[in-house]
mmCIF file of all heavy atoms in Angstrom:
data_model
loop_
_atom_site.group_PDB
_atom_site.id
_atom_site.type_symbol
_atom_site.label_atom_id
_atom_site.label_comp_id
_atom_site.label_asym_id
_atom_site.label_seq_id
_atom_site.Cartn_x
_atom_site.Cartn_y
_atom_site.Cartn_z
ATOM 1 N N ALA A 91 109.290 64.213 198.286
ATOM 2 C CA ALA A 91 109.633 62.899 197.728
ATOM 3 C C ALA A 91 108.636 62.479 196.654
ATOM 4 O O ALA A 91 109.020 61.939 195.606
ATOM 5 C CB ALA A 91 109.709 61.858 198.841
ATOM 6 N N GLN A 92 107.360 62.731 196.882
ATOM 7 C CA GLN A 92 106.338 62.404 195.880
ATOM 8 C C GLN A 92 106.543 63.240 194.612
ATOM 9 O O GLN A 92 106.427 62.721 193.492
ATOM 10 C CB GLN A 92 104.949 62.649 196.439
ATOM 11 C CG GLN A 92 104.513 61.662 197.492
ATOM 12 C CD GLN A 92 103.157 62.027 198.057
ATOM 13 O OE1 GLN A 92 102.301 62.561 197.362
ATOM 14 N NE2 GLN A 92 102.958 61.737 199.339
ATOM 15 N N THR A 93 106.849 64.503 194.797
ATOM 16 C CA THR A 93 107.093 65.390 193.666
ATOM 17 C C THR A 93 108.317 64.932 192.880
ATOM 18 O O THR A 93 108.299 64.892 191.645
ATOM 19 C CB THR A 93 107.279 66.835 194.146
ATOM 20 O OG1 THR A 93 106.123 67.225 194.892
ATOM 21 C CG2 THR A 93 107.491 67.788 192.996
ATOM 22 N N LEU A 94 109.363 64.565 193.594
ATOM 23 C CA LEU A 94 110.576 64.076 192.960
ATOM 24 C C LEU A 94 110.283 62.857 192.089
ATOM 25 O O LEU A 94 110.705 62.785 190.929
ATOM 26 C CB LEU A 94 111.627 63.738 194.020
ATOM 27 C CG LEU A 94 112.911 63.088 193.539
ATOM 28 C CD1 LEU A 94 113.658 63.984 192.571
ATOM 29 C CD2 LEU A 94 113.783 62.731 194.738
ATOM 30 N N GLU A 95 109.543 61.905 192.623
ATOM 31 C CA GLU A 95 109.226 60.698 191.861
ATOM 32 C C GLU A 95 108.358 61.014 190.645
ATOM 33 O O GLU A 95 108.530 60.410 189.577
ATOM 34 C CB GLU A 95 108.560 59.663 192.758
ATOM 35 C CG GLU A 95 109.508 59.050 193.769
ATOM 36 C CD GLU A 95 110.811 58.554 193.146
ATOM 37 O OE1 GLU A 95 110.771 57.829 192.129
ATOM 38 O OE2 GLU A 95 111.887 58.911 193.665
ATOM 39 N N ALA A 96 107.450 61.962 190.776
ATOM 40 C CA ALA A 96 106.607 62.347 189.640
ATOM 41 C C ALA A 96 107.458 62.976 188.533
ATOM 42 O O ALA A 96 107.280 62.645 187.348
ATOM 43 C CB ALA A 96 105.520 63.314 190.094
ATOM 44 N N TYR A 97 108.375 63.855 188.894
ATOM 45 C CA TYR A 97 109.250 64.466 187.895
ATOM 46 C C TYR A 97 110.149 63.425 187.235
ATOM 47 O O TYR A 97 110.379 63.466 186.026
ATOM 48 C CB TYR A 97 110.099 65.579 188.506
ATOM 49 C CG TYR A 97 109.401 66.907 188.591
ATOM 50 C CD1 TYR A 97 109.265 67.568 189.804
ATOM 51 C CD2 TYR A 97 108.877 67.515 187.458
ATOM 52 C CE1 TYR A 97 108.630 68.797 189.894
ATOM 53 C CE2 TYR A 97 108.239 68.738 187.535
ATOM 54 C CZ TYR A 97 108.124 69.374 188.754
ATOM 55 O OH TYR A 97 107.487 70.586 188.825
ATOM 56 N N ARG A 98 110.673 62.489 188.026
ATOM 57 C CA ARG A 98 111.504 61.422 187.449
ATOM 58 C C ARG A 98 110.713 60.598 186.439
ATOM 59 O O ARG A 98 111.221 60.272 185.370
ATOM 60 C CB ARG A 98 112.036 60.501 188.546
ATOM 61 C CG ARG A 98 113.261 60.992 189.202
ATOM 62 C CD ARG A 98 113.858 59.928 190.091
ATOM 63 N NE ARG A 98 114.952 60.484 190.839
ATOM 64 C CZ ARG A 98 115.288 60.110 192.050
ATOM 65 N NH1 ARG A 98 114.626 59.164 192.667
ATOM 66 N NH2 ARG A 98 116.305 60.669 192.660
ATOM 67 N N ALA A 99 109.493 60.263 186.800
ATOM 68 C CA ALA A 99 108.655 59.475 185.896
ATOM 69 C C ALA A 99 108.406 60.218 184.592
ATOM 70 O O ALA A 99 108.490 59.633 183.508
ATOM 71 C CB ALA A 99 107.333 59.121 186.585
ATOM 72 N N VAL A 100 108.114 61.500 184.690
ATOM 73 C CA VAL A 100 107.884 62.300 183.483
ATOM 74 C C VAL A 100 109.145 62.338 182.633
ATOM 75 O O VAL A 100 109.088 62.129 181.423
ATOM 76 C CB VAL A 100 107.430 63.732 183.856
ATOM 77 C CG1 VAL A 100 107.525 64.668 182.661
ATOM 78 C CG2 VAL A 100 106.022 63.707 184.403
ATOM 79 N N TYR A 101 110.289 62.583 183.261
ATOM 80 C CA TYR A 101 111.535 62.697 182.512
ATOM 81 C C TYR A 101 111.886 61.386 181.809
ATOM 82 O O TYR A 101 112.322 61.389 180.666
ATOM 83 C CB TYR A 101 112.679 63.100 183.440
ATOM 84 C CG TYR A 101 113.922 63.516 182.694
ATOM 85 C CD1 TYR A 101 114.121 64.837 182.352
ATOM 86 C CD2 TYR A 101 114.884 62.584 182.324
ATOM 87 C CE1 TYR A 101 115.255 65.236 181.655
ATOM 88 C CE2 TYR A 101 116.022 62.968 181.630
ATOM 89 C CZ TYR A 101 116.194 64.287 181.294
ATOM 90 O OH TYR A 101 117.316 64.676 180.611
ATOM 91 N N GLU A 102 111.690 60.274 182.500
ATOM 92 C CA GLU A 102 112.117 58.981 181.972
ATOM 93 C C GLU A 102 111.089 58.321 181.059
ATOM 94 O O GLU A 102 111.451 57.499 180.228
ATOM 95 C CB GLU A 102 112.484 58.064 183.128
ATOM 96 C CG GLU A 102 113.711 58.574 183.884
ATOM 97 C CD GLU A 102 113.979 57.853 185.182
ATOM 98 O OE1 GLU A 102 113.133 57.024 185.605
ATOM 99 O OE2 GLU A 102 115.032 58.116 185.786
#
Side-chain angles (χ1 to χ4, degrees):
Q92 289 176 33
T93 303
L94 174 61
E95 289 310 311
Y97 276 124
R98 276 190 187 148
V100 166
Y101 192 91
E102 294 170 353

